[in-house]
Amino acid sequence: MKQYIFRSIIIFALFGHFSSNIAAQNPTGTAITYNFGTQYQLQSKILGETRQLLIYVPEKYKKSTEKFPVIYVLDGDKHYKHAIVSAEKLQKNGLIPASIIVAIPDNKGTHMRDYTQDSDKFSRFLREEVQSFVTKNFRTNEYKTLYGHSRPGAFVLETFVKEPNAFNSYIAASPVTSKKILTKFEKLFDKNTMLNQTIYFTVGGIDNEGSRSVNLMKSLSDLLTKRAPKSLQWKHTHLTQHYHHTTSNGTFYDGLAESFTDYQDPIISSYQQYLDGNGMDGIKAYFKKRALKYYTDEKITVNAIAGFGFTFMFDNKAQQAVDLLLDDIKNNHPTSIKLYGVLSAAYRTLGLKDKTLKVLEKMVSMAKQQNDPQLDRYESSLKRFKKSL
């Protein structure tokens, strides 16, 4: 018995020493903060209750006086955070314009009421009170997107067939609706030959969503194929690997990317395609049209010019790439290190070592002036090139 107690004391002591070492080695962390916007309270006369609005503005909003498009997110407490992360990723890569996100959380017990029983009243609330609050307090332009998942996804489709001009873009993830929606789309198409909106809708795998939902979305897709006017941009995706409750994130991300295809930089695969599209005049016309629709700058983007430069080089048109880059740097983007980088590649392709060296040196100098975080990479490129001479 004494031996057992002694061994227990030793084991306890060793374990206690081990545990204290773990505690001592555990680092003290710092809380990670993230810009998830601001919460507002809105007293709704239409609904007779106080509702929350969760509103995010992009970084660009704080640095400019521009007006921005707005993405309205239904059932907002569930989808607000993933909407922000997705929108930021898309904005950073130039796939959508920088946008304000307005999420509308449900109040307790209001979900079925808002999206089914009293959906007309909720529509008025959304149009007359929410949008009014946003336009009065934020710099917004006229471009609006409506997103919803499940029952709110059905509300998105219903809003389109009732008031197609209420929003420019409609995104519905796994909408829980009925066959009546098909009849409503048919009636809309009977009345309208010009619909300039975009619609993106999805459904998950048949094992989880059920054959009824999957077949209904396929029927809607077939109807749009046969009846939708050419002016309507639409797409349906069957997310076969997703459950009903997991389609929300992917639908939001892909829906925005699909909705803003005419915002994204044009891609050309050859120098001949560039010429066939009326060259730079054609590119300028594209960006002018984009600016009119999305209220953006008409200036051709750095990424677009860089892409054209590389395409020209790959097509054995390095001198044309040089001409394009020099003209754009002089007239539009004189401080773009990225364009100087493409220019250095074009000079190197042409075997112009002295000009390549001068451009690489220029890039290092500019990076120092701009406190560019990639300064080390530019200095390394310059060193490697000097060694190759």
Side-chain angles (χ1 to χ4, degrees), residues 132-159:
S132 177
F133 176 87
V134 173
T135 55
K136 285 179 181 178
N137 293 284
F138 297 88
R139 299 193 312 274
T140 65
N141 60 37
E142 298 299 318
Y143 200 92
K144 300 184 292 291
T145 298
L146 182 64
Y147 164 83
H149 169 257
S150 195
R151 290 191 184 278
F155 178 87
V156 169
L157 297 181
E158 291 282 351
T159 300

Side-chain angles (χ1 to χ4, degrees), residues 87-356:
E88 285 185 341
K89 183 72 172 177
L90 290 163
Q91 291 166 21
K92 184 178 180 180
N93 288 281
L95 299 177
I96 68 171
S99 304
I100 298 169
I101 295 177
V102 177
I104 307 145
D106 296 338
N107 277 359
K108 186 176 181 180
T110 63
H111 189 82
M112 290 294 291
R113 181 201 72 185
D114 290 344
Y115 300 118
T116 55
Q117 300 158 3
D118 290 332
S119 60
D120 287 343
K121 187 180 287 187
F122 186 78
S123 292
R124 284 186 55 216
F125 162 69
L126 180 60
R127 181 178 65 253
E128 298 175 21
E129 295 181 328
V130 175
Q131 292 188 36
S132 177
F133 176 87
V134 173
T135 55
K136 285 179 181 178
N137 293 284
F138 297 88
R139 299 193 312 274
T140 65
N141 60 37
E142 298 299 318
Y143 200 92
K144 300 184 292 291
T145 298
L146 182 64
Y147 164 83
H149 169 257
S150 195
R151 290 191 184 278
F155 178 87
V156 169
L157 297 181
E158 291 282 351
T159 300
F160 172 73
V161 294
K162 290 179 182 177
E163 304 175 86
N165 294 321
F167 295 87
N168 304 88
S169 178
Y170 295 82
I171 303 173
S174 291
V176 177
T177 186
S178 68
K179 288 184 178 180
K180 292 180 180 179
I181 195 66
L182 301 178
T183 302
K184 293 177 180 179
F185 266 88
E186 288 179 334
K187 289 181 178 179
L188 175 65
F189 294 151
D190 287 339
K191 295 186 297 182
N192 292 272
T193 56
M194 285 294 294
L195 293 167
N196 296 311
Q197 294 74 22
T198 66
I199 305 177
Y200 181 77
F201 60 99
T202 64
V203 68
I206 194 168
D207 291 340
N208 181 261
E209 296 271 24
S211 59
R212 176 187 169 280
S213 294
V214 171
N215 291 336
L216 180 56
M217 290 301 100
K218 184 180 183 303
S219 295
L220 179 56
S221 177
D222 292 341
L223 174 62
L224 288 164
T225 300
K226 295 176 183 177
R227 296 289 312 278
K230 292 182 179 180
S231 59
L232 180 67
Q233 178 186 331
W234 69 273
K235 184 176 181 180
H236 164 53
T237 303
H238 186 189
L239 302 173
T240 57
Q241 301 302 313
H242 278 267
Y243 296 105
H244 177 78
H245 293 291
T246 65
T247 59
S248 55
N249 299 39
T251 301
F252 183 84
Y253 186 95
D254 292 342
L256 286 180
E258 288 289 339
S259 298
F260 288 95
T261 52
D262 57 351
Y263 170 84
Q264 295 154 21
D265 290 341
I267 298 173
I268 59 172
S269 58
S270 68
Y271 183 70
Q272 187 59 50
Q273 184 184 353
Y274 170 78
L275 295 178
D276 292 342
N278 202 22
M280 189 50 61
D281 288 339
I283 300 300
K284 288 179 179 177
Y286 175 91
F287 278 91
K288 184 175 183 179
K289 183 179 180 181
R290 185 183 88 158
L292 290 172
K293 182 174 181 179
Y294 295 112
Y295 307 91
T296 57
D297 195 332
E298 292 184 18
K299 185 186 293 186
I300 302 170
T301 64
V302 166
N303 286 342
I305 294 296
F308 301 155
F310 280 120
T311 297
F312 291 5
M313 280 185 272
F314 294 153
D315 210 16
N316 296 316
K317 302 291 182 181
Q319 184 56 57
Q320 286 82 348
V322 167
D323 296 340
L324 173 78
L325 292 159
L326 287 175
D327 179 73
D328 191 79
I329 288 171
K330 178 183 177 181
N331 296 304
N332 298 309
H333 301 106
T335 62
S336 173
I337 299 176
K338 182 171 187 175
L339 291 184
Y340 275 103
V342 183
L343 181 61
S344 71
Y347 279 141
R348 192 176 304 190
T349 301
L350 292 169
L352 302 175
K353 295 182 179 180
D354 289 345
K355 290 188 175 182
T356 302

